[in-house]
Amino acid sequence: MTVTQALLAFAVVAGLLTIIPGMDTALVLRSTLTRSRRHGFAALGGIQVGTLLWGAAAAGGAAALLAASQTAYRVLTIAGAVYLAWMGVSMIAASLHRRVERADVEAPPPASGRWRDFGLGLGTNLMNPKVGVFYVAAIPQFTPAGVNPLLMGLLLAAVHCVLGTLWLSAVLLGAGVAGPRLRRSGAVRWLDRVTGGLLVAFGARLAFEARA
């Protein structure tokens, strides 16, 4: 198996995982529909930086240690569960105080808020140890003989990022068309509540798995 063949084979696996709706899609949709496309791209950027960091960690062996140590895995899983639940509750609480915008005026969201969306995407990705475990399992399977595992891990993460960026950008651009109307209607409050609920549910699932 050559490097090109390995990357193409991995692209098929990563592509299938990418198009399955999950937290990444929910976060990008939420940032786009409740704020703007720029905020959606900020969340997308945070997600992809997190993916690259997990790929580098797995290739460098850090994620392998996480996968091998049950205690370390549980600690990170519980921390991730708490983080996700806190973000979800914060979204729900904020939605309860959100004011409906006037139908004829749509105030642009503050630019500084984009860093919050970026941080949410990055934090959600980094606090999910399953991403690291996925790379630990994938790198040996898609590393041709004689190829540096660190380099291959970074290449695989880059492929994953490209596919994720293309897919989420399409989702984001499509959602951006409906965003202004939804923001004026007040429906964004429910979007925040739904996304917040998903974050809480995902955090509870992580916590349950950590105790199993």
Side-chain angles (χ1 to χ4, degrees), residues 73-167:
Y73 184 86
R74 284 187 174 182
V75 169
L76 182 57
T77 300
I78 292 173
V82 172
Y83 171 80
L84 292 174
W86 175 72
M87 289 303 303
V89 171
S90 297
M91 285 184 188
I92 295 172
S95 73
L96 297 176
H97 300 285
R98 184 188 295 274
R99 297 174 59 186
V100 180
E101 297 167 355
R102 289 175 53 190
D104 59 339
V105 177
E106 183 182 354
S112 59
R114 292 199 292 269
W115 284 108
R116 186 174 185 274
D117 291 281
F118 178 89
L120 179 60
L122 176 62
T124 301
N125 197 299
L126 289 181
M127 298 302 284
N128 183 4
K130 290 185 176 181
V131 181
V133 174
F134 166 72
Y135 278 111
V136 168
I139 289 175
Q141 302 298 324
F142 295 97
T143 300
V147 177
N148 187 316
L150 176 59
L151 174 61
M152 198 64 197
L154 293 175
L155 288 175
L156 294 177
V159 169
H160 198 179
C161 282
V162 169
L163 294 174
T165 299
L166 291 175
W167 172 253

Side-chain angles (χ1 to χ4, degrees), residues 1 13 27 63 84 175:
M1 181 172 60
V13 176
L27 290 175
L84 292 174

